[in-house]
Every structure is written in structure tokens, then in C-alpha cells.
Amino acid sequence: MNSRTSRTQMLYTLGFVFFLICAFAAFFTGVKVGADKTEAKYSHLIEADGASEEFSGSYQQQDLVTFYHNVFLPYREFKRNWNKEVDSLSRNTDARENAATLKNLSILADKQYEKVNQDSIFSSSPLLYQSQLNILKSLTLFSQASNKVSAGSSGTETAKALKNDNFTASAMQFGLLAQKDFYDSMLKWGSKTNSKIPAVPSELKTLSFIQWKKMPLLLKNASIAEMMLNRGIYAGYDPQDITAKIDDMIYSGMASSLKLQDVQSSVTLLISTGAIQEQDFMKWREQYYGKETMPQLPFFYE
């Protein structure tokens, strides 16, 4: 009796152990299959997003994306609104409305400052860190300039006083310097992604169209950002918009018909005639830049 009971218990035990083995095997097989399916499903996103970074350390794509959303985008929105409001101010003849516009500009600068003023997470990317600081300086000075200038019934004179204020000039300079640092950061990212892209822009000289056409997009943009800084071009459009306009002038034959021979003279003409528009880059992105190396930043794709 005892022997039969022991044998039965042993069979139950062996059966239970066998059941556990089968259960574990099924579980891990399911995990493996699920992981494989998930990897296959999102592999194209990993490749497109650069999620498997080609390098480690500073100026990774995620640094650029985070900076764009948390720092550059709020400032870009401010710059666009600043230019729009100052242009509207210059045509107004109501002193009360002019005072309200100045007040609103100050409030807008303070509001965007709060968005940008967070603990920096770009300590491993010095150019991004410095760009964030310069944007904060720029917004502070814009706010001070708006509070400093007195509004009169002549919107033209009020706008002129605001533009000529020393605080405003410094604010624009810091903003353009921050922009240059951001585009130089993209260049550093690009150099680690594509060996044909230099890590730093070359010393800015007169650029012939022959030299220009050999340059990768990120180097063109960084060069334009430096020109905008040197010339004080504080506009709503971005460096890549000027780049695209120049490329279209060259490839369409317009530059030749206008007897233009270098990039600097082209920039002078385009700025003086107001020929650059926001989103110009997007007009020609597919036509000219389909094979270019670019970080996954919205203003290159949307």
C-alpha cells in the first residue's frame, strides 16, 4: 500500500515538473517571438530616427532634438512674433495701442524665458549649453528694452526707438550667436554620422558658387548662420531658408542671369529685396536635399 502510494506521488511529482518545464519553454518562446516581431515592426523607425546612435558622448541626435523642442522652438516663436509685432507697431498711430504692444512684447519675452529657463541637460555638448545661455540673455534684454522705450502716438518713431535701443541690439546679437551655436552643433553631429561632413565650419571667406555646390547642407547652413550673425540679420526665417534660396538661384540659372558670382553677394541681394520667406527650405527639400545628411528636427521635415 505504502509502495503504491509512493509510486503514485512520484508520478504526480514528475508530471508536475514536466508541466513546469513545458510552461517555461512556452513562455520564453513567446517572449522571443514577440521581441522579434516588435523589432521587425519598428526597425524602420530605429533606422530613421537614429535610435541606435552611431556614436556616444556629445552632440548626439537626441541632444539636438531635445534642444530644439525645449530651447530653440520657444525662442523661434518669440523671434517670429517680435518681428511681426514691431512691424505692426511701425504703422500704428494710437499711443495707447503702442504702449500695449510694448507691454505685450515684454510679457512675451518673459513667458518664453520661463520656457527656456530650465536646468541645462547639455553639459556634454558645450555649444548647445552656450546657445541656451545666449537665448536666455537675449530674452532678458528684449524684455528690458520693451519696458525701457516710451510709446508715443507715432508708431514709426516708437518702433525706431525700440530697434535702435542698445538693449535690443544686444538681444539680437545674443540671439544670432545662439542660432550659430545650434547650427554648429548640427555640424558636429553630422561629422560623426558622415565622414564627408567637417566638424567645424571653415574660416568664412568669399564663397564661390563652385565651392558652395561642393558643400554638404549642414556646412552651408552653418556658414549662413555665421553670415546672419555678422550682418545682424534677425528675421523669422532660418538659415536653411537662405541656403535653399541660393541653391535654387544657382540651379535655376537665375544667379547667372543676374551676374552673381558668389554666395555673399547673393545673400546681400536676397536680403535687400526681401526675397527670403519662412519655409523656403521646404519648397525645395525634395528637389535638392533628398540625399543630404540631416538630423531628425521638425523644421527640416515639416
Side-chain angles (χ1 to χ4, degrees), residues 15 77-78 88 127 139 188 190 210 222 267 274 302:
E77 292 171 350
F78 168 81
S88 177
L127 285 172
L139 291 169
K188 287 189 177 296
I210 294 176
V267 171
E302 296 178 357

Side-chain angles (χ1 to χ4, degrees), residues 54-237:
E54 305 88 343
F55 54 93
S56 60
S58 60
Y59 305 105
Q60 298 185 50
Q61 179 160 250
Q62 187 57 47
D63 294 333
L64 298 175
V65 172
T66 301
F67 182 89
Y68 176 88
H69 287 289
N70 293 353
V71 179
F72 190 76
L73 184 57
Y75 186 73
R76 190 167 175 243
E77 292 171 350
F78 168 81
K79 182 172 63 170
R80 182 183 295 115
N81 287 325
W82 171 272
N83 286 315
K84 179 180 177 181
E85 289 296 324
V86 172
D87 180 64
S88 177
L89 175 65
S90 67
R91 298 191 299 271
N92 206 313
T93 57
D94 188 305
R96 183 175 298 179
E97 289 184 7
N98 292 339
T101 297
L102 291 175
K103 181 64 175 177
N104 288 337
L105 285 172
S106 177
I107 292 173
L108 178 62
D110 292 339
K111 179 181 177 182
Q112 299 307 86
Y113 182 97
E114 291 301 319
K115 290 182 179 180
V116 176
N117 186 30
Q118 53 187 327
D119 293 336
S120 176
I121 57 176
F122 309 107
S123 57
S124 63
S125 302
L127 285 172
L128 293 178
Y129 176 79
Q130 190 61 45
S131 182
Q132 182 181 18
L133 291 181
N134 285 331
I135 283 176
L136 290 172
K137 292 176 184 177
S138 177
L139 291 169
T140 298
L141 290 167
F142 271 123
S143 178
Q144 292 175 348
S146 300
N147 285 323
K148 177 183 175 185
V149 172
S150 299
S153 59
S154 171
T156 301
E157 292 301 319
T158 303
K160 183 178 179 180
L162 182 60
K163 289 179 179 179
N164 293 337
D165 187 82
N166 290 334
F167 283 0
T168 301
S170 295
M172 291 182 176
Q173 187 75 0
F174 278 121
L176 291 169
L177 182 57
Q179 177 177 261
K180 178 184 180 299
D181 288 340
F182 185 34
Y183 280 80
D184 284 351
S185 297
M186 295 183 216
L187 197 59
K188 287 189 177 296
W189 168 84
S191 70
K192 297 179 179 182
T193 306
N194 186 335
S195 60
K196 295 181 180 179
I197 299 176
V200 295
S202 56
E203 185 178 345
L204 196 59
K205 301 175 182 178
T206 300
L207 282 170
S208 69
F209 290 145
I210 294 176
Q211 293 172 305
W212 175 261
K213 287 192 286 187
K214 294 178 181 178
M215 294 165 62
L217 174 64
L218 294 181
L219 180 56
K220 290 178 180 178
N221 290 344
S223 299
I224 293 296
E226 185 170 355
M227 289 184 203
M228 293 178 74
L229 170 63
N230 293 339
R231 300 186 184 199
I233 302 171
Y234 193 81
Y237 46 76

Side-chain angles (χ1 to χ4, degrees), residues 40-57:
K41 181 178 180 180
Y42 294 106
S43 61
H44 66 289
L45 296 179
I46 294 173
E47 290 172 4
D49 241 5
S52 54
E53 284 293 345
E54 305 88 343
F55 54 93
S56 60

Side-chain angles (χ1 to χ4, degrees), residues 279-293:
Q279 299 293 309
D280 271 348
F281 175 79
M282 295 304 299
K283 293 180 184 178
W284 294 292
R285 182 174 67 87
E286 294 297 331
Q287 185 173 352
Y288 298 134
Y289 310 112
K291 297 182 180 180
E292 289 281 355
T293 299

